[in-house]
Amino acid sequence: MFNQSDLSTLISAAPGRGVSIYLPTHSSGPETRQDPIRLRNLLTEAHAKLIADGVGKREADALLAPGEALLDDYPFWQHQDEGLALFLGADGSQYRFTVPLTFTEQVHIEPGFYVKPLLPLLSADGKFAVLTLTADGAALYDGSKFALTPDPAAGLPGGPTENLDEDNQSRILASPTARPHTGGKATTSTQAYGETPTDWRKSVLDDWVGKVASAVERRLADQAIPLVLIADPELGGQFKKRSTLGPLLVGTVEKNPAALLNGKLHETAYQVVRPHFEAGERAALERAALLLADGPTKIAVTIGEVVRAAFQGRVETLLLTDGAVEWGRFDEMTDAVETHSEPGTSVIDLTEYATVKTLENKGAVYMLPPEALAGLFKSANAPASIAVLRY
């Protein structure tokens, strides 16, 4: 799953000339044979744009070579999702992301990389985590409104029962000097060796759940995203007792996660977390409405104000019309903002810039239908974006 770290990597790459290619892909079926053809056509389009931009043929060929190499990579095309984002830099940098978003086919050539089509994966109305617990182990997933993917850096402990029987046998066969003193009287195994196997097993599971809770809290510490827990009642109850996530634990599904296929796992978890997102969206819109009524002291309305505030790290919440584009230039040295009616040399999408800066500074971004912002202004001519400011 594309995440905040991936966004930071793309932004920091900043090649002097970058090629950003987006295309829809397929995970199975005969349509997979068309995906390399789509990429070939987009690479041809990118080549023509590079030549028109004054790039020599040899340089253009070298820049696009990593993309050309994918065309005949059969295994690569057998492991796709709904969309592919490919980034190639004139400095040799290259990145690609397979994501659960269906893109329109597009090619962008500009300084740096064009990341806006990926940003819905990071919006505040869709990013969450899912923890599954069974007696065999735990798994943490990155979630969005689109899909779930395993979190590769979760750092969860191994399963609790891997060495359960072996360890229990070791306790029973412990040498006499290691056994508790019995006073020379006949005793039960429970008196001699402590806990019964059932009690001991519960103790092991409880200790393991505590370790899982600590690992999850460390992993989510700097993200402040909601978590959905899927586990049987016993393990789920133990986790809630040991967890300090508080309101970030937005719901529990009392089911064995092993019985849910990945698609059903996502659907089940998203239904739990969806009301949380809808409440957050409503609260953001209500706060923006109050600030608009009080005056423009803590809200930015024009694109120039939004861009400057985002650059300065002052945007707490960005409300953005989904699909909106506002072309222009922003000079970070002088704070000067120019707007343009269409793309051109050194012209960027200012809404993309504002979104990226807001996310980099740990602000929240909501991508909304046009009528949502229009409702705030009671006008169809509402701005494409407004920002609630920290100060």
Side-chain angles (χ1 to χ4, degrees):
M1 180 75 72
F2 183 79
N3 56 36
Q4 184 68 50
S5 176
D6 295 323
L7 175 64
S8 298
T9 297
L10 287 176
I11 299 304
S12 62
R17 178 178 284 108
V19 177
S20 306
I21 296 175
Y22 293 88
L23 66 151
T25 52
H26 303 83
S27 58
S28 62
E31 294 89 351
T32 58
R33 294 193 293 269
Q34 300 300 315
D35 296 339
I37 297 173
R38 289 189 181 89
L39 178 58
R40 185 186 299 279
N41 293 338
L42 292 171
L43 289 168
T44 299
E45 179 183 341
H47 193 278
K49 287 185 174 181
L50 288 167
I51 298 299
D53 203 29
V55 178
K57 182 180 183 303
R58 181 176 298 179
E59 184 182 348
D61 290 344
L63 198 163
L64 299 176
E68 296 283 348
L70 294 176
L71 297 176
D72 298 320
D73 188 342
Y74 180 80
F76 171 75
W77 294 106
Q78 301 310 302
H79 296 87
Q80 294 300 306
D81 204 321
E82 294 184 35
L84 173 64
L86 177 64
F87 304 94
L88 305 172
D91 57 358
S93 58
Q94 52 181 290
Y95 307 93
R96 62 176 186 256
F97 299 95
T98 296
V99 297
L101 285 177
T102 301
F103 300 124
T104 58
E105 296 181 11
Q106 50 192 297
V107 175
H108 301 269
I109 297 175
E110 58 188 48
F113 295 127
Y114 186 71
V115 300
K116 189 175 182 181
L118 288 166
L119 296 180
L121 291 169
L122 303 180
S123 65
D125 58 345
K127 186 172 174 54
F128 62 101
V130 175
L131 174 67
T132 62
L133 285 178
T134 71
D136 294 323
L140 190 66
Y141 296 85
D142 290 325
S144 74
K145 67 178 72 173
F146 310 102
L148 290 181
T149 57
D151 182 347
L156 302 186
T161 59
E162 291 175 354
N163 300 311
L164 196 69
D165 294 336
E166 181 180 335
D167 290 347
N168 192 40
Q169 186 70 11
S170 298
R171 286 158 56 91
I172 293 172
L173 297 178
S175 64
T177 56
R179 297 174 183 172
H181 177 64
T182 63
K185 296 181 180 180
T187 59
T188 65
S189 61
T190 301
Q191 292 169 321
Y193 308 131
E195 301 165 322
T196 66
T198 299
D199 289 339
W200 178 64
R201 188 181 186 90
K202 287 182 178 178
S203 176
V204 169
L205 285 173
D206 186 60
D207 180 63
W208 172 73
V209 169
K211 292 177 180 177
V212 171
S214 296
V216 170
E217 286 156 14
R218 286 194 300 270
R219 180 61 179 152
L220 302 182
D222 62 346
Q223 300 184 62
I225 60 174
L227 174 72
V228 176
L229 172 65
I230 302 180
D232 65 45
E234 179 185 4
L235 288 176
Q238 288 177 313
F239 182 87
K240 285 186 280 189
K241 288 179 183 177
R242 304 296 294 270
S243 172
T244 59
L245 288 170
L248 288 179
L249 181 57
V250 296
T252 302
V253 178
E254 294 186 345
K255 288 184 178 180
N256 181 355
L260 300 172
L261 298 176
N262 188 50
K264 190 66 175 177
L265 190 68
H266 172 259
E267 178 185 340
T268 300
Y270 189 66
Q271 289 306 311
V272 172
V273 80
R274 185 173 181 174
H276 173 84
F277 292 143
E278 291 173 345
E281 181 180 303
R282 285 195 301 272
L285 286 167
E286 288 169 3
R287 185 167 181 220
L290 288 173
L291 291 172
L292 283 169
D294 289 344
T297 55
K298 287 194 67 176
I299 194 162
V301 176
T302 69
I303 188 61
E305 293 170 339
V306 170
V307 167
R308 292 186 191 96
F311 171 64
Q312 294 162 4
R314 295 192 294 124
V315 176
E316 178 182 280
T317 305
L318 178 64
L319 305 177
L320 177 66
T321 298
D322 195 10
V325 175
E326 295 201 45
W327 301 109
R329 295 188 180 94
F330 174 55
D331 188 329
E332 294 181 350
M333 298 297 293
T334 66
D335 266 359
V337 177
E338 300 176 7
T339 57
H340 293 258
S341 58
E342 58 186 27
T345 304
S346 300
V347 172
I348 64 171
D349 179 356
L350 296 173
T351 62
E352 179 203 28
Y353 178 91
T355 302
V356 168
K357 288 299 181 183
T358 298
L359 292 170
E360 285 184 332
N361 289 295
K362 301 189 183 303
V365 176
Y366 288 93
M367 294 188 175
L368 307 169
E371 58 269 21
L373 289 188
L376 289 178
F377 293 86
K378 298 180 174 59
S379 169
N381 296 319
S385 60
I386 62 174
V388 174
L389 308 181
R390 294 186 170 107
Y391 58 90

